[in-house]
Amino acid sequence: MLSFSFLLFLVYFFLLFDFSFPSPSVSFLPARNVTLYGDAHLKNNAISLTQQHACPASSSSSSSNGVGKALYLYPIRFLDPINNTTASFFCRFSFSIVRSPLCSFGDGMAFLITSNADSFSLSKGYMGLSGPALNPQDSFIAVEFDTSSDPSLGDINSNHIGIDVNSIVSFAAIDAESVGIDLQSGRQITAWIEYSDSSKLIQVWASYLQVRPQSPILVAQVDLSEHFKEYMHVGFSASNGQGSAIHIVDQWRFKTYATLSAVTPKDISEKGDCLMCYPENPMYSDGPGTHNGRGKLLEMALGLGGLAAFTVSIIVVLLVVIFSAIKKRRGVGGRTKEGRINRVSRRLSITEIRSATMGFHRSRIIGQGASATVFKGYLSSCGSVAVKRFDHAAIECAHNPFITEFATMVGCLRHENLVQLQGWCCEGTGKLIEAADSKVVGMFNTLEVERMLMVGLSCVHPNHEKRPTVKEAAMILRGEAPLPVLPQRKPAVGFQSVLPEDSDGTLNLAGDNSPCTDDPTWMTPRTDFG
């Protein structure tokens, strides 16, 4: 009970206190929470990073030479210098790159994490990312979706996905076409990007579907804690260079979280906050005040709810502990409302019986009759007991007092004022022939008697399907059929109590102290005594 209450305490403790790194809050409109640079603009609740312009591009076609950038309004914390911990992150977004008619493709676009929101390059092929003149104090990480090819920048072709760290030259890249993705198709593509700080691994998935593929298309080992600043800006960047295309981003989710293990479950990391939602999307939250007002109210409500749940759980645990203690003290744990004890007796070993009665010592005798002697004993499982030992010499073939009394105790005699049967034990050794009547020893054929005893045992098998027919039994006795195969141990027998159906009065007996696995339990007919 103590461990259970401690577990409840831990659960509600984690509900009340958030140990994750700060992430963008609840869903909202991009116009209120995204800062746009250059050619970037909003279109149908999506971000268009670039604009169409005449081909070939002229220096006067736009004020930014075809470069656009969109960053989340607030910087996000990636490092905790006090605890020396680094955030892991998960990002999911959909994008499409549509070429302008009669024009070549632009440079492409990139998902960007940067320490300097104002740092970007107008150079061809850079997708708006920082150029060679990057300030040593600045840092950026990007996953590029490149639609141009410039060998001087290390591009493998005009349709590739790469991972950049403080350089436009990717340190890891893959041909998108080799994994079934065409960045120049104009189709909407969904990308998933995840970084786990515990494994120092960044993974990228891409698909035309909204379902995350099983395997990533790009995996790279990198320790981003060496490149993260305490606060970084998150968003997207794109450029057209000498071409013309529009680069559209929507349905953006981003989340930072503390990594507790090397493998973060997908369902945990994907629970990011929606940064780009259509109004008809269920995740969409109406009103520009959602981020500041309703978000705080939601956090306060969750906090108070968690505190209330924690208090209630403590009260419930205390009540359960008190009730259990009272119940145990009164000794009502094993009794029903009618006073019957619903305890099923079990088979005891002869070793337990001998130990309980001090080896059937004469000083433990408390009663003696014609067919049995009663000893006082003690069992650790149930305390003081009376052990009734039947005399083997007094047991006759037609009358067995042990079986009669055993069936009576199990069958119906159950009352709180009567001694309850706690267990039983059959003590016996020897061979099958020793079961023959001692009065006719030496006056019979041993093989014939063994055959008769084997037939008799098979005829009383509790499973009627395994009993021989009368014709088969006669043929075995005459030696015209092979002897029956007897089980290695006594088959299980079920005694059904005549108590009401809701009473737990069924006892299964096997040939030894272990559960019987040879046969299922076969029930004997119900019997009414008296």
Side-chain angles (χ1 to χ4, degrees):
M1 185 59 66
L2 180 60
S3 61
F4 174 71
S5 60
F6 181 67
L7 177 61
L8 283 177
F9 172 76
L10 286 179
V11 170
Y12 289 112
F13 184 72
F14 278 100
L15 284 175
L16 289 172
F17 296 94
D18 182 13
F19 292 95
S20 62
F21 286 82
S23 295
S25 188
V26 293
S27 56
F28 54 89
L29 284 171
R32 296 283 184 176
N33 294 277
V34 174
T35 302
L36 303 176
Y37 300 80
D39 281 359
H41 62 283
L42 297 179
K43 183 178 181 181
N44 298 327
N45 284 323
I47 300 175
S48 179
L49 297 171
T50 55
Q51 301 179 12
Q52 292 183 347
H53 53 74
C55 303
S58 63
S59 59
S60 61
S61 61
S62 73
S63 59
S64 59
N65 295 326
V67 177
K69 186 191 300 184
L71 298 178
Y72 179 57
L73 182 61
Y74 308 103
I76 297 175
R77 193 179 191 184
F78 282 86
L79 287 179
D80 186 348
I82 298 178
N83 298 324
N84 193 28
T85 54
T86 304
S88 299
F89 69 83
F90 171 80
C91 180
R92 175 189 182 274
F93 58 92
S94 296
F95 71 95
S96 57
I97 303 175
V98 183
R99 184 185 63 173
S100 301
L102 305 178
C103 293
S104 61
F105 272 92
D107 298 332
M109 57 167 286
F111 165 73
L112 174 66
I113 301 176
T114 179
S115 61
N116 187 350
D118 299 320
S119 175
F120 59 91
S121 172
L122 300 178
S123 301
K124 176 182 180 298
Y126 276 71
M127 293 170 287
L129 301 177
S130 300
L134 177 69
N135 189 322
Q137 300 300 321
D138 295 336
S139 178
F140 77 88
I141 299 97
V143 175
E144 63 175 47
F145 301 86
D146 200 333
T147 55
S148 67
S149 178
D150 188 341
S152 66
L153 300 179
D155 293 341
I156 58 177
N157 58 23
S158 60
N159 184 40
H160 66 273
I161 301 173
I163 300 175
D164 307 341
V165 177
N166 293 338
S167 173
I168 190 63
V169 179
S170 302
F171 78 91
I174 186 173
D175 179 6
E177 189 174 0
S178 67
V179 292
I181 299 295
D182 183 3
L183 301 176
Q184 300 180 358
S185 66
R187 298 174 59 185
Q188 186 179 70
I189 300 170
T190 302
W192 297 262
I193 303 169
E194 183 173 358
Y195 171 71
S196 173
D197 182 66
S198 61
S199 60
K200 311 299 181 186
L201 204 68
I202 185 168
Q203 303 178 81
V204 181
W205 293 259
S207 173
Y208 292 119
L209 304 176
Q210 297 292 320
V211 180
R212 183 176 178 179
Q214 190 70 25
S215 302
I217 62 173
L218 183 59
V219 180
Q221 195 84 34
V222 57
D223 185 0
L224 294 185
S225 65
E226 300 175 356
H227 306 283
F228 280 147
K229 305 299 181 181
E230 182 175 0
Y231 288 93
M232 305 279 283
H233 296 273
V234 178
F236 300 89
S237 176
S239 67
N240 270 325
Q242 298 300 314
S244 178
I246 55 175
H247 302 77
I248 301 173
V249 176
D250 61 7
Q251 298 178 4
W252 177 24
R253 294 178 183 274
F254 183 85
K255 179 183 179 67
T256 57
Y257 58 94
T259 308
L260 300 179
S261 61
V263 179
T264 302
K266 185 188 298 184
D267 58 345
I268 295 178
S269 64
E270 283 193 359
K271 290 180 180 177
D273 298 308
C274 185
L275 305 190
M276 193 64 58
C277 298
Y278 290 104
E280 63 270 16
N281 192 312
M283 293 292 295
Y284 174 76
S285 179
D286 53 314
T290 300
H291 177 71
N292 295 325
R294 295 189 180 180
K296 292 182 179 179
L297 290 176
L298 179 62
E299 292 175 1
M300 184 180 297
L302 290 175
L304 292 176
L307 180 61
F310 173 68
T311 304
V312 172
S313 67
I314 292 297
I315 296 175
V316 170
V317 169
L318 291 176
L319 290 176
V320 171
V321 171
I322 295 173
F323 177 76
S324 299
I326 296 175
K327 186 177 180 181
K328 184 176 181 181
R329 180 173 297 179
R330 292 182 178 179
V332 300
R335 298 178 184 271
T336 62
K337 294 181 179 180
E338 289 79 10
R340 293 191 297 269
I341 301 176
N342 289 331
R343 179 182 296 141
V344 176
S345 57
R346 63 185 181 91
R347 174 165 182 157
L348 302 169
S349 66
I350 188 63
T351 303
E352 290 180 279
I353 299 298
R354 290 184 182 277
S355 176
T357 60
M358 299 175 62
F360 298 108
H361 196 273
R362 292 187 59 84
S363 62
R364 311 295 291 180
I365 296 177
I366 56 176
Q368 195 164 7
S371 61
T373 303
V374 181
F375 295 82
K376 181 180 180 180
Y378 179 84
L379 292 173
S380 58
S381 59
C382 50
S384 298
V385 294
V387 179
K388 192 171 186 178
R389 187 182 190 186
F390 289 87
D391 187 1
H392 182 74
I395 297 177
E396 302 176 0
C397 294
H399 176 70
N400 190 327
F402 169 77
I403 295 178
T404 302
E405 186 167 339
F406 181 78
T408 302
M409 293 291 289
V410 174
C412 65
L413 291 184
R414 285 171 178 254
H415 195 275
E416 59 182 0
N417 294 330
L418 296 179
V419 176
Q420 177 66 34
L421 180 64
Q422 302 292 334
W424 58 279
C425 175
C426 287
E427 180 184 10
T429 59
K431 299 180 180 180
L432 182 63
I433 193 65
E434 295 179 1
D437 193 341
S438 59
K439 298 178 181 179
V440 293
V441 173
M443 301 171 58
F444 53 79
N445 185 300
T446 302
L447 295 178
E448 291 180 353
V449 172
E450 287 183 346
R451 182 185 295 113
M452 180 191 66
L453 292 173
M454 294 179 70
V455 171
L457 289 174
S458 63
C459 288
V460 296
H461 196 290
N463 182 357
H464 67 88
E465 295 179 354
K466 294 189 177 182
R467 300 171 190 164
T469 63
V470 175
K471 182 178 180 180
E472 291 172 342
M475 293 177 64
I476 297 173
L477 291 174
R478 292 196 300 266
E480 299 174 357
L483 294 174
V485 178
L486 300 178
Q488 294 294 324
R489 54 182 177 176
K490 184 178 179 181
V493 181
F495 290 91
Q496 178 66 51
S497 171
V498 296
L499 294 172
E501 295 292 342
D502 58 351
S503 176
D504 186 12
T506 300
L507 175 65
N508 299 328
L509 306 177
D512 53 22
N513 201 31
S514 61
C516 179
T517 58
D518 296 334
D519 299 295
T521 303
W522 300 93
M523 304 305 298
T524 59
R526 305 182 74 179
T527 305
D528 295 314
F529 291 89

